[in-house]
mmCIF file of all heavy atoms in Angstrom:
data_model
loop_
_atom_site.group_PDB
_atom_site.id
_atom_site.type_symbol
_atom_site.label_atom_id
_atom_site.label_comp_id
_atom_site.label_asym_id
_atom_site.label_seq_id
_atom_site.Cartn_x
_atom_site.Cartn_y
_atom_site.Cartn_z
ATOM 1 N N ILE B 16 -34.774 2.267 21.583
ATOM 2 C CA ILE B 16 -33.874 3.296 22.083
ATOM 3 C C ILE B 16 -33.788 3.205 23.598
ATOM 4 O O ILE B 16 -34.809 3.072 24.283
ATOM 5 C CB ILE B 16 -34.327 4.704 21.639
ATOM 6 C CG1 ILE B 16 -33.333 5.763 22.145
ATOM 7 C CG2 ILE B 16 -35.735 5.024 22.115
ATOM 8 C CD1 ILE B 16 -33.572 7.158 21.577
ATOM 9 N N ALA B 17 -32.569 3.261 24.131
ATOM 10 C CA ALA B 17 -32.355 3.230 25.571
ATOM 11 C C ALA B 17 -32.080 4.644 26.062
ATOM 12 O O ALA B 17 -31.247 5.350 25.493
ATOM 13 C CB ALA B 17 -31.169 2.323 25.901
ATOM 14 N N VAL B 18 -32.793 5.055 27.109
ATOM 15 C CA VAL B 18 -32.555 6.352 27.729
ATOM 16 C C VAL B 18 -32.400 6.153 29.236
ATOM 17 O O VAL B 18 -32.850 5.155 29.797
ATOM 18 C CB VAL B 18 -33.698 7.359 27.446
ATOM 19 C CG1 VAL B 18 -33.887 7.560 25.959
ATOM 20 C CG2 VAL B 18 -35.003 6.888 28.081
ATOM 21 N N GLN B 19 -31.762 7.105 29.877
ATOM 22 C CA GLN B 19 -31.579 7.041 31.322
ATOM 23 C C GLN B 19 -32.945 7.039 31.999
ATOM 24 O O GLN B 19 -33.842 7.785 31.624
ATOM 25 C CB GLN B 19 -30.747 8.230 31.781
ATOM 26 C CG GLN B 19 -30.370 8.212 33.239
ATOM 27 C CD GLN B 19 -29.420 9.351 33.588
ATOM 28 O OE1 GLN B 19 -28.438 9.575 32.891
ATOM 29 N NE2 GLN B 19 -29.721 10.071 34.651
ATOM 30 N N LYS B 20 -33.120 6.211 33.022
ATOM 31 C CA LYS B 20 -34.441 6.028 33.615
ATOM 32 C C LYS B 20 -34.878 7.183 34.501
ATOM 33 O O LYS B 20 -36.072 7.329 34.787
ATOM 34 C CB LYS B 20 -34.504 4.713 34.390
ATOM 35 C CG LYS B 20 -33.563 4.600 35.563
ATOM 36 C CD LYS B 20 -33.720 3.231 36.217
ATOM 37 C CE LYS B 20 -32.777 3.045 37.390
ATOM 38 N NZ LYS B 20 -32.919 1.708 38.016
ATOM 39 N N SER B 21 -33.958 8.016 34.958
ATOM 40 C CA SER B 21 -34.336 9.169 35.770
ATOM 41 C C SER B 21 -33.232 10.214 35.705
ATOM 42 O O SER B 21 -32.117 9.930 35.255
ATOM 43 C CB SER B 21 -34.587 8.756 37.226
ATOM 44 O OG SER B 21 -33.406 8.219 37.801
ATOM 45 N N SER B 25 -32.450 12.077 31.457
ATOM 46 C CA SER B 25 -33.696 11.410 31.091
ATOM 47 C C SER B 25 -34.746 12.420 30.657
ATOM 48 O O SER B 25 -35.389 12.260 29.607
ATOM 49 C CB SER B 25 -34.224 10.589 32.272
ATOM 50 O OG SER B 25 -35.491 10.026 31.979
ATOM 51 N N ASP B 26 -34.913 13.471 31.450
ATOM 52 C CA ASP B 26 -35.909 14.500 31.129
ATOM 53 C C ASP B 26 -35.615 15.145 29.785
ATOM 54 O O ASP B 26 -36.523 15.343 28.954
ATOM 55 C CB ASP B 26 -35.935 15.572 32.226
ATOM 56 C CG ASP B 26 -36.424 15.027 33.563
ATOM 57 O OD1 ASP B 26 -37.082 13.971 33.567
ATOM 58 O OD2 ASP B 26 -36.136 15.658 34.600
ATOM 59 N N SER B 28 -33.813 13.924 27.301
ATOM 60 C CA SER B 28 -33.927 12.941 26.211
ATOM 61 C C SER B 28 -35.383 12.746 25.805
ATOM 62 O O SER B 28 -35.720 12.732 24.616
ATOM 63 C CB SER B 28 -33.323 11.602 26.637
ATOM 64 O OG SER B 28 -31.960 11.737 26.963
ATOM 65 N N LEU B 29 -36.254 12.587 26.796
ATOM 66 C CA LEU B 29 -37.676 12.388 26.514
ATOM 67 C C LEU B 29 -38.291 13.640 25.899
ATOM 68 O O LEU B 29 -39.167 13.552 25.027
ATOM 69 C CB LEU B 29 -38.416 11.992 27.790
ATOM 70 C CG LEU B 29 -37.981 10.664 28.428
ATOM 71 C CD1 LEU B 29 -38.783 10.390 29.691
ATOM 72 C CD2 LEU B 29 -38.130 9.514 27.433
ATOM 73 N N ILE B 32 -37.423 13.595 22.216
ATOM 74 C CA ILE B 32 -38.246 12.618 21.487
ATOM 75 C C ILE B 32 -39.640 13.186 21.239
ATOM 76 O O ILE B 32 -40.196 13.064 20.138
ATOM 77 C CB ILE B 32 -38.304 11.290 22.260
ATOM 78 C CG1 ILE B 32 -36.911 10.645 22.297
ATOM 79 C CG2 ILE B 32 -39.300 10.331 21.609
ATOM 80 C CD1 ILE B 32 -36.814 9.430 23.208
ATOM 81 N N ARG B 33 -40.209 13.833 22.241
ATOM 82 C CA ARG B 33 -41.535 14.432 22.077
ATOM 83 C C ARG B 33 -41.509 15.578 21.076
ATOM 84 O O ARG B 33 -42.434 15.756 20.285
ATOM 85 C CB ARG B 33 -42.061 14.910 23.432
ATOM 86 C CG ARG B 33 -42.490 13.777 24.364
ATOM 87 C CD ARG B 33 -43.258 14.298 25.567
ATOM 88 N NE ARG B 33 -43.842 13.219 26.351
ATOM 89 C CZ ARG B 33 -43.305 12.731 27.457
ATOM 90 N NH1 ARG B 33 -42.168 13.244 27.926
ATOM 91 N NH2 ARG B 33 -43.895 11.746 28.124
ATOM 92 N N PHE B 39 -45.748 9.018 23.281
ATOM 93 C CA PHE B 39 -45.613 7.826 24.107
ATOM 94 C C PHE B 39 -46.080 8.174 25.519
ATOM 95 O O PHE B 39 -46.173 9.353 25.889
ATOM 96 C CB PHE B 39 -44.162 7.327 24.145
ATOM 97 C CG PHE B 39 -43.200 8.352 24.682
ATOM 98 C CD1 PHE B 39 -42.880 8.402 26.028
ATOM 99 C CD2 PHE B 39 -42.611 9.288 23.829
ATOM 100 C CE1 PHE B 39 -41.998 9.346 26.531
ATOM 101 C CE2 PHE B 39 -41.729 10.237 24.322
ATOM 102 C CZ PHE B 39 -41.429 10.268 25.674
ATOM 103 N N ILE B 40 -46.365 7.157 26.291
ATOM 104 C CA ILE B 40 -46.766 7.331 27.687
ATOM 105 C C ILE B 40 -45.652 6.776 28.557
ATOM 106 O O ILE B 40 -45.255 5.614 28.416
ATOM 107 C CB ILE B 40 -48.091 6.604 27.982
ATOM 108 C CG1 ILE B 40 -49.217 7.180 27.128
ATOM 109 C CG2 ILE B 40 -48.432 6.712 29.465
ATOM 110 C CD1 ILE B 40 -50.529 6.421 27.255
ATOM 111 N N SER B 41 -45.134 7.611 29.451
ATOM 112 C CA SER B 41 -44.057 7.165 30.330
ATOM 113 C C SER B 41 -44.543 7.136 31.769
ATOM 114 O O SER B 41 -45.435 7.887 32.157
ATOM 115 C CB SER B 41 -42.839 8.079 30.211
ATOM 116 O OG SER B 41 -43.170 9.399 30.589
ATOM 117 N N SER B 42 -43.931 6.272 32.560
ATOM 118 C CA SER B 42 -44.275 6.137 33.969
ATOM 119 C C SER B 42 -43.039 5.682 34.730
ATOM 120 O O SER B 42 -42.239 4.888 34.211
ATOM 121 C CB SER B 42 -45.404 5.123 34.157
ATOM 122 O OG SER B 42 -45.544 4.777 35.522
ATOM 123 N N SER B 43 -42.874 6.187 35.941
ATOM 124 C CA SER B 43 -41.728 5.792 36.761
ATOM 125 C C SER B 43 -41.774 4.313 37.118
ATOM 126 O O SER B 43 -40.780 3.735 37.551
ATOM 127 C CB SER B 43 -41.683 6.637 38.037
ATOM 128 O OG SER B 43 -42.876 6.475 38.793
ATOM 129 N N LEU B 44 -42.931 3.697 36.940
ATOM 130 C CA LEU B 44 -43.094 2.285 37.278
ATOM 131 C C LEU B 44 -42.813 1.359 36.095
ATOM 132 O O LEU B 44 -42.713 0.146 36.267
ATOM 133 C CB LEU B 44 -44.519 2.033 37.790
ATOM 134 C CG LEU B 44 -44.934 2.826 39.036
ATOM 135 C CD1 LEU B 44 -46.388 2.522 39.384
ATOM 136 C CD2 LEU B 44 -44.022 2.509 40.218
ATOM 137 N N LYS B 45 -42.702 1.944 34.893
ATOM 138 C CA LYS B 45 -42.491 1.129 33.697
ATOM 139 C C LYS B 45 -41.044 1.221 33.226
ATOM 140 O O LYS B 45 -40.446 2.296 33.240
ATOM 141 C CB LYS B 45 -43.426 1.593 32.574
ATOM 142 C CG LYS B 45 -44.903 1.405 32.871
ATOM 143 C CD LYS B 45 -45.767 1.901 31.727
ATOM 144 C CE LYS B 45 -45.559 1.100 30.465
ATOM 145 N NZ LYS B 45 -46.475 1.525 29.379
ATOM 146 N N LEU B 46 -40.477 0.112 32.808
ATOM 147 C CA LEU B 46 -39.107 0.081 32.310
ATOM 148 C C LEU B 46 -39.040 0.160 30.795
ATOM 149 O O LEU B 46 -37.955 0.221 30.222
ATOM 150 C CB LEU B 46 -38.399 -1.183 32.800
ATOM 151 C CG LEU B 46 -38.204 -1.265 34.323
ATOM 152 C CD1 LEU B 46 -37.508 -2.562 34.699
ATOM 153 C CD2 LEU B 46 -37.405 -0.071 34.833
ATOM 154 N N LYS B 47 -40.212 0.134 30.148
ATOM 155 C CA LYS B 47 -40.241 0.329 28.706
ATOM 156 C C LYS B 47 -41.607 0.835 28.287
ATOM 157 O O LYS B 47 -42.609 0.634 28.984
ATOM 158 C CB LYS B 47 -39.878 -0.949 27.950
ATOM 159 C CG LYS B 47 -40.885 -2.074 28.058
ATOM 160 C CD LYS B 47 -40.448 -3.261 27.197
ATOM 161 C CE LYS B 47 -41.473 -4.391 27.259
ATOM 162 N NZ LYS B 47 -41.099 -5.516 26.371
ATOM 163 N N THR B 48 -41.625 1.512 27.154
ATOM 164 C CA THR B 48 -42.883 1.995 26.600
ATOM 165 C C THR B 48 -42.742 2.047 25.086
ATOM 166 O O THR B 48 -41.622 2.061 24.560
ATOM 167 C CB THR B 48 -43.248 3.391 27.165
ATOM 168 O OG1 THR B 48 -44.570 3.743 26.746
ATOM 169 C CG2 THR B 48 -42.276 4.457 26.665
ATOM 170 N N GLU B 49 -43.869 2.091 24.398
ATOM 171 C CA GLU B 49 -43.848 2.064 22.937
ATOM 172 C C GLU B 49 -44.565 3.283 22.386
ATOM 173 O O GLU B 49 -45.600 3.696 22.906
ATOM 174 C CB GLU B 49 -44.518 0.784 22.439
ATOM 175 C CG GLU B 49 -44.342 0.516 20.962
ATOM 176 C CD GLU B 49 -44.862 -0.856 20.562
ATOM 177 O OE1 GLU B 49 -44.548 -1.830 21.272
ATOM 178 O OE2 GLU B 49 -45.606 -0.936 19.549
ATOM 179 N N GLU B 56 -39.517 1.893 20.359
ATOM 180 C CA GLU B 56 -39.731 1.397 21.712
ATOM 181 C C GLU B 56 -38.665 2.013 22.598
ATOM 182 O O GLU B 56 -37.482 2.018 22.260
ATOM 183 C CB GLU B 56 -39.653 -0.134 21.759
ATOM 184 C CG GLU B 56 -39.971 -0.692 23.146
ATOM 185 C CD GLU B 56 -39.947 -2.209 23.176
ATOM 186 O OE1 GLU B 56 -39.012 -2.804 22.603
ATOM 187 O OE2 GLU B 56 -40.863 -2.802 23.775
ATOM 188 N N ILE B 57 -39.069 2.541 23.753
ATOM 189 C CA ILE B 57 -38.149 3.229 24.653
ATOM 190 C C ILE B 57 -37.882 2.349 25.867
ATOM 191 O O ILE B 57 -38.814 1.892 26.543
ATOM 192 C CB ILE B 57 -38.733 4.580 25.110
ATOM 193 C CG1 ILE B 57 -39.058 5.453 23.891
ATOM 194 C CG2 ILE B 57 -37.750 5.306 26.023
ATOM 195 C CD1 ILE B 57 -39.823 6.718 24.241
ATOM 196 N N LEU B 58 -36.598 2.093 26.143
ATOM 197 C CA LEU B 58 -36.183 1.332 27.312
ATOM 198 C C LEU B 58 -35.587 2.298 28.327
ATOM 199 O O LEU B 58 -34.769 3.146 27.976
ATOM 200 C CB LEU B 58 -35.130 0.282 26.933
ATOM 201 C CG LEU B 58 -35.466 -0.682 25.788
ATOM 202 C CD1 LEU B 58 -34.302 -1.635 25.552
ATOM 203 C CD2 LEU B 58 -36.742 -1.454 26.089
ATOM 204 N N PHE B 59 -35.972 2.177 29.595
ATOM 205 C CA PHE B 59 -35.466 3.043 30.656
ATOM 206 C C PHE B 59 -34.434 2.262 31.473
ATOM 207 O O PHE B 59 -34.776 1.313 32.188
ATOM 208 C CB PHE B 59 -36.620 3.518 31.542
ATOM 209 C CG PHE B 59 -37.645 4.321 30.787
ATOM 210 C CD1 PHE B 59 -38.809 3.715 30.320
ATOM 211 C CD2 PHE B 59 -37.446 5.664 30.519
ATOM 212 C CE1 PHE B 59 -39.754 4.441 29.607
ATOM 213 C CE2 PHE B 59 -38.377 6.395 29.808
ATOM 214 C CZ PHE B 59 -39.535 5.790 29.348
ATOM 215 N N LEU B 60 -33.159 2.695 31.355
ATOM 216 C CA LEU B 60 -32.051 1.949 31.940
ATOM 217 C C LEU B 60 -31.137 2.860 32.756
ATOM 218 O O LEU B 60 -31.217 4.086 32.659
ATOM 219 C CB LEU B 60 -31.220 1.282 30.832
ATOM 220 C CG LEU B 60 -31.966 0.392 29.826
ATOM 221 C CD1 LEU B 60 -31.034 0.000 28.695
ATOM 222 C CD2 LEU B 60 -32.506 -0.849 30.532
ATOM 223 N N ARG B 61 -30.259 2.264 33.539
ATOM 224 C CA ARG B 61 -29.205 3.027 34.211
ATOM 225 C C ARG B 61 -28.250 3.562 33.151
ATOM 226 O O ARG B 61 -27.917 2.854 32.186
ATOM 227 C CB ARG B 61 -28.426 2.152 35.195
ATOM 228 C CG ARG B 61 -29.186 1.734 36.430
ATOM 229 C CD ARG B 61 -28.336 0.877 37.364
ATOM 230 N NE ARG B 61 -27.181 1.609 37.889
ATOM 231 C CZ ARG B 61 -25.923 1.434 37.499
ATOM 232 N NH1 ARG B 61 -25.638 0.547 36.549
ATOM 233 N NH2 ARG B 61 -24.949 2.117 38.046
ATOM 234 N N ASP B 62 -27.783 4.802 33.312
ATOM 235 C CA ASP B 62 -26.946 5.402 32.283
ATOM 236 C C ASP B 62 -25.669 4.612 32.020
ATOM 237 O O ASP B 62 -25.230 4.466 30.876
ATOM 238 C CB ASP B 62 -26.609 6.854 32.638
ATOM 239 C CG ASP B 62 -25.925 6.978 33.993
ATOM 240 O OD1 ASP B 62 -25.951 6.012 34.776
ATOM 241 O OD2 ASP B 62 -25.367 8.058 34.276
ATOM 242 N N ASP B 64 -25.294 1.517 32.045
ATOM 243 C CA ASP B 64 -25.575 0.267 31.330
ATOM 244 C C ASP B 64 -25.880 0.485 29.847
ATOM 245 O O ASP B 64 -25.821 -0.456 29.057
ATOM 246 C CB ASP B 64 -26.771 -0.442 31.975
ATOM 247 C CG ASP B 64 -26.472 -0.940 33.378
ATOM 248 O OD1 ASP B 64 -25.286 -1.165 33.687
ATOM 249 O OD2 ASP B 64 -27.424 -1.080 34.174
ATOM 250 N N ILE B 65 -26.213 1.719 29.481
ATOM 251 C CA ILE B 65 -26.686 1.970 28.117
ATOM 252 C C ILE B 65 -25.649 1.626 27.049
ATOM 253 O O ILE B 65 -25.986 0.937 26.064
ATOM 254 C CB ILE B 65 -27.183 3.419 27.974
ATOM 255 C CG1 ILE B 65 -28.455 3.599 28.812
ATOM 256 C CG2 ILE B 65 -27.467 3.758 26.507
ATOM 257 C CD1 ILE B 65 -28.990 5.019 28.828
ATOM 258 N N TYR B 68 -25.578 -2.193 26.577
ATOM 259 C CA TYR B 68 -26.795 -2.721 25.965
ATOM 260 C C TYR B 68 -26.839 -2.417 24.472
ATOM 261 O O TYR B 68 -27.276 -3.259 23.670
ATOM 262 C CB TYR B 68 -28.027 -2.135 26.653
ATOM 263 C CG TYR B 68 -28.443 -2.876 27.906
ATOM 264 C CD1 TYR B 68 -28.255 -2.304 29.167
ATOM 265 C CD2 TYR B 68 -29.033 -4.128 27.838
ATOM 266 C CE1 TYR B 68 -28.634 -2.978 30.328
ATOM 267 C CE2 TYR B 68 -29.421 -4.810 28.982
ATOM 268 C CZ TYR B 68 -29.213 -4.225 30.227
ATOM 269 O OH TYR B 68 -29.590 -4.906 31.372
ATOM 270 N N ALA B 74 -30.430 -3.003 22.901
ATOM 271 C CA ALA B 74 -31.044 -1.772 22.392
ATOM 272 C C ALA B 74 -30.357 -1.427 21.080
ATOM 273 O O ALA B 74 -29.162 -1.697 20.910
ATOM 274 C CB ALA B 74 -30.888 -0.631 23.396
#
Side-chain angles (χ1 to χ4, degrees):
I16 182 171
V18 302
Q19 186 174 312
K20 62 181 179 181
S21 62
S25 175
D26 294 340
S28 300
L29 297 180
I32 294 172
R33 287 192 171 99
F39 59 92
I40 298 174
S41 61
S42 167
S43 59
L44 301 177
K45 296 179 65 176
L46 295 179
K47 68 177 182 177
T48 188
E49 190 172 314
E56 184 178 44
I57 303 172
L58 307 179
F59 299 98
L60 306 171
R61 290 181 63 254
D62 57 345
D64 293 336
I65 292 176
Y68 275 108

